[in-house]
Each structure stands twice: as C-alpha cells, then as structure tokens.
C-alpha cells in the first residue's frame, strides 16, 4: 500500500473540499461579513474599474471625433470641388462693376445672388458666410455668429465638438457688396493636430520659403469668389506681459480708422513677417487674416495676412521673384528670453 493510500485509509483523514469560485459580485462588491480590509480592497477595485471604463469611453470619443472631423472636412471639400475650381492657375477677382446712381444720387445696386455652393451650405447651417482654401493646406467652410465664442467648440453641423469650425470675427462684414465689406476679414481656426481647420498653416513657419509654393488664399463669401496673395506671416503674443506690456492687436484692425490706421498695420506686419514678398499694399486694398494658435509659448498666435488681388491681377501674373526671408523679424520679448537674439523695442 502506498503512503497516499495509507493516509486516505486513516479514519481521521478528511478529503479537502474544493474552494468555491467567487462570483463577480462576491469578488468586487462589499458583502455582509467582509472584513474592513476586504471592503476597502473591493472599493478600490470598483473605483479602478470605473476609471478604466470612463477613460476608455473618453479616449474612444476623442478618436471618433478626430475621425468624424476629417470625414466632415473631406465630404465638404469634395462637394465644394463640384461647384468651384479655385485652385486652377490664373484665378483672379472679378473687376467690380461701376456703381450707378438714380435721379436722387442714390447708388443703384443689382441684387446679390448666392453662389450655388452657398445655397447648399446655408441649408446645412444658416451661419455659413464663406469657404476658405489654400491648396493642400486649408479647405474649410466658414461661419459667423453674434459672438466669437460659439464656434470655438461647435462644428458646422451644430454639434458640440472640440475642433469647432473656422469662423469670421463677429464684427466683420463678410457677405455684402464688395465696397461695403470690412477692410480686413479675420478668420479664426484651431491648430488641429490632425491637420484639419488651420492645422497645416504651420508649414509657413517651419519653412519660410513655403510661400513660394503656396502664395495664395482663396476665399468665397456667399456671393463672390476672391483670391488673395499672402503678404505676411508671423507669431504674436496675446498677453501684454509677454512683450513688456505691448500687444499688437491685429484682430482689431477690422477697418482702418483712428487708433487702427493702415500705416500702423503696415508697419507692424512688415517688421514682424518672417519673409518679405515684394508685393505692395496700400490703404485701398482689402485684406484677409488667418489666425490660429501657436506653441512657441502659451498663449501665442500664428497670423497669416493676405492682400486681395486687384483688378487685372491674376495668380499667373503676380510677381513672386522679389521674395526674401526676413533676416531679423520682430518677435515679442518672451521669444528672445528663451531663444536669444536682439530684441527690438515696440513703439506702439
């Protein structure tokens, strides 16, 4: 007889009972009879499981919203191409028809007619005011509301989304007769990591010569198609303490007037731009400004300014041969603090 058989033959030997497998509730939910240590362990486990579930949901929504934003952008850009071909060489602005007056000296204007794409977009969102594009860089619908907050976190379909929508400053006159539009149309958009919105404008600061590949901004309002040549690109502070108390408030140059004159506008952008294009500008020109976040410090903005093509100018005949990188652009004081170089005092 083997030793194991002898043990089993012993009348005092009891066959060990198999441990009953605990259910989920017994393993993780505090039960009557649990010790204080078991209750604490189970509560910690429950909190950890809940945190993991919440994180998984948040992460899933984050990636879904990125996918959704890219799909929305792709769908709208494809629909836009059906109606427009602004990226073709030779795009230009139409010469404005001369204004006529009636017997009382009042200007007689032809009724404005929506572009076909505008009708489609207005059916999606009544706040639609235009479409902005730079081939291979920007391709976005533009909206405008009564404030500059709504579309920071609302997409073109009215859904609450972190990516928001490119929007025009609420003070701008965007869609009207050309002579009644603001001197400077300002568009804001997030610097999205996935490249949507204004997420690829960084090309112009990573490589200043990128301007030679893409010097034009195309912007349709509801009634007309326009092309602009980029004349400046720079990084700016929004907090006075980042530049010894000074802020170039580019976003307030909506119309050139006392306090925000064309002369001060030109001086500021000429000194700050990372490149000089050789394209002249004057007080009779119309401008477009693209503004997005930049990450050299927090908060910073990357600003790109375009000048509307004049009658007779086209994307074919604009002279780009005078382009030159600015050897010493003006940066806010905070930049020199971390990067060295010679600070240029701001005179306001």
């Amino acid at each position: 007889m083997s030793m194991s058989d002898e043990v089993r033959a012993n009348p005092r030997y009891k066959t060990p009972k198999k441990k009953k497998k605990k259910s989920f509730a017994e393993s993780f939910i505090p039960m009557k009879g649990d010790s204080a240590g078991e209750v604490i362990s189970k509560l910690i486990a429950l909190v950890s499981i809940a945190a993991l579930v919440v994180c998984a949901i948040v992460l899933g929504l984050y990636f879904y919203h990125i996918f959704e934003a890219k799909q929305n952008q792709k769908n709208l850009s494809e629909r836009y191409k059906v109606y427009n071909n602004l990226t073709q060489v030779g795009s230009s602005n139409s010469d404005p028809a001369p204004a006529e007056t009636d017997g009382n000296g009042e200007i007689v204007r032809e009724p404005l007619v929506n572009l076909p794409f505008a009708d489609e977009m207005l059916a999606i969102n009544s706040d639609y005011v235009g479409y902005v594009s730079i081939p291979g860089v920007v391709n976005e619908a533009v909206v405008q509301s009564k404030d500059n907050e709504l579309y920071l976190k609302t997409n073109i379909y009215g859904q609450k989304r972190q990516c928001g929508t490119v929007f025009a400053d609420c003070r701008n006159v965007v869609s009207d007769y050309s002579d009644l539009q603001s001197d400077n149309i300002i568009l804001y958009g997030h610097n999205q990591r996935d490249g949507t919105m204004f997420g690829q404008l960084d090309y112009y600061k990573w490589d200043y010569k990128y301007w030679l590949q893409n010097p034009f901004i195309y912007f349709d309002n509801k009634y007309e198609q326009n092309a602009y040549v980029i004349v400046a690109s720079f990084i700016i502070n929004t907090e006075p303490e980042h530049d010894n108390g000074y802020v170039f408030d580019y976003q307030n140059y909506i119309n050139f007037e006392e306090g925000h004159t064309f002369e001060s506008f030109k001086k500021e952008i000429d000194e700050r731009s990372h490149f000089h294009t050789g394209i002249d500008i004057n007080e009779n020109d119309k401008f477009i400004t693209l503004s997005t976040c930049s990450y050299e410090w927090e908060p910073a903005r990357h600003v790109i300014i375009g000048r509307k093509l004049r009658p007779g100018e086209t994307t074919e005949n604009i002279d780009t041969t005078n382009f030159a990188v600015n050897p010493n652009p003006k940066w806010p004081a905070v930049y020199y603090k971390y990067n060295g170089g010679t600070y240029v005092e701001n005179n306001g």
Side-chain angles (χ1 to χ4, degrees):
M1 181 181 292
S2 67
M3 186 177 291
S4 59
D5 290 336
E6 289 177 2
V7 171
R8 290 192 188 95
N10 189 324
R12 289 180 294 178
Y13 172 77
K14 292 183 180 179
T15 305
K17 292 182 179 180
K18 287 186 178 179
K19 259 190 174 182
K20 184 182 176 183
K21 191 174 182 181
K22 287 185 178 181
S23 65
F24 177 85
E26 291 172 325
S27 299
F28 296 101
I29 299 175
M31 312 287 285
K32 187 177 179 179
D34 286 346
S35 66
E38 288 176 318
V39 170
I40 292 172
S41 296
K42 288 180 178 181
L43 288 175
I44 292 173
L46 284 174
V47 170
S48 299
I49 292 170
L52 283 172
V53 170
V54 170
C55 287
I57 292 172
V58 170
L59 197 60
L61 283 173
Y62 172 76
F63 284 111
Y64 171 73
H65 288 166
I66 289 177
F67 171 77
E68 179 189 56
K70 289 184 79 70
Q71 286 300 114
N72 287 344
Q73 190 272 342
K74 181 181 177 182
N75 291 338
L76 288 180
S77 65
E78 287 177 351
R79 289 157 73 175
Y80 175 73
K81 287 177 184 176
V82 173
Y83 295 100
N84 302 276
N85 191 22
L86 284 183
T87 57
Q88 65 181 357
V89 174
S91 293
S92 64
N93 299 327
S94 301
D95 291 359
E100 297 181 2
T101 57
D102 60 17
N104 298 318
E106 297 291 328
I107 296 177
V108 178
R109 299 180 185 271
E110 292 293 325
L112 292 168
V113 179
N114 285 346
L115 295 171
F117 186 71
D119 281 330
E120 182 173 342
M121 291 304 300
L122 287 166
I124 295 173
N125 190 326
S126 60
D127 286 339
Y128 172 83
V129 292
Y131 198 94
V132 62
S133 64
I134 301 174
V137 181
V138 173
N139 231 308
E140 298 291 338
V142 179
V143 292
Q144 184 180 39
S145 70
K146 295 178 181 178
D147 59 53
N148 288 340
E149 300 294 327
L150 175 62
Y151 286 103
L152 282 171
K153 295 184 179 180
T154 303
N155 70 11
I156 189 73
Y157 298 102
Q159 300 166 312
K160 292 298 179 184
R161 296 290 186 270
Q162 197 68 29
C163 63
T165 311
V166 174
F167 63 94
D169 193 289
C170 61
R171 299 166 294 175
N172 273 133
V173 177
V174 180
S175 293
D176 206 330
Y177 296 97
S178 296
D179 59 312
L180 300 180
Q181 293 167 13
S182 300
D183 292 335
N184 184 19
I185 294 172
I186 301 175
L187 306 184
Y188 304 100
H190 289 302
N191 188 347
Q192 290 294 100
R193 299 293 189 184
D194 63 359
T196 56
M197 303 301 150
F198 286 168
Q200 297 191 80
L201 288 182
D202 285 346
Y203 287 141
Y204 290 94
K205 66 176 185 178
W206 290 336
D207 178 7
Y208 300 156
K209 292 182 180 179
Y210 188 77
W211 180 87
L212 293 169
Q213 300 175 46
N214 280 292
F216 300 106
I217 301 169
Y218 301 93
F219 179 65
D220 296 0
N221 60 33
K222 290 189 290 188
Y223 311 117
E224 61 182 0
Q225 299 176 324
N226 293 302
Y228 297 74
V229 58
I230 296 170
V231 294
S233 171
F234 53 88
I235 311 300
I236 191 69
N237 60 302
T238 63
E239 302 293 339
E241 58 266 30
H242 287 157
D243 201 14
N244 297 332
Y246 182 75
V247 174
F248 167 41
D249 58 338
Y250 67 93
Q251 75 281 3
N252 289 324
Y253 284 79
I254 303 287
N255 290 304
F256 300 126
E257 54 196 1
E258 187 176 353
H260 293 92
T261 64
F262 170 77
E263 289 73 21
S264 63
F265 175 76
K266 183 178 186 302
K267 177 177 181 293
E268 290 280 6
I269 68 173
D270 282 350
E271 291 178 345
R272 296 178 186 277
S273 183
H274 299 147
F275 48 73
H276 297 309
T277 64
I279 308 294
D280 70 303
I281 62 175
N282 64 52
E283 64 275 12
N284 298 316
D285 289 318
K286 297 282 189 177
F287 297 86
I288 192 168
T289 295
L290 310 185
S291 175
T292 192
C293 291
S294 200
Y295 302 107
E296 287 75 13
W297 63 87
E298 180 61 34
R301 297 290 182 268
H302 181 197
V303 181
I304 289 179
I305 297 175
R307 190 263 281 167
K308 190 175 180 179
L309 296 191
R310 299 165 182 166
E313 289 183 334
T314 72
T315 53
E316 285 186 318
N317 64 23
I318 286 286
D319 184 5
T320 61
T321 60
N322 294 315
F323 173 88
V325 173
N326 185 352
N328 189 29
K330 181 196 290 186
W331 290 77
V334 65
Y335 171 83
Y336 299 98
K337 178 179 179 180
Y338 297 109
N339 295 277
T342 305
Y343 173 66
V344 179
E345 184 69 32
N346 285 301
N347 298 315

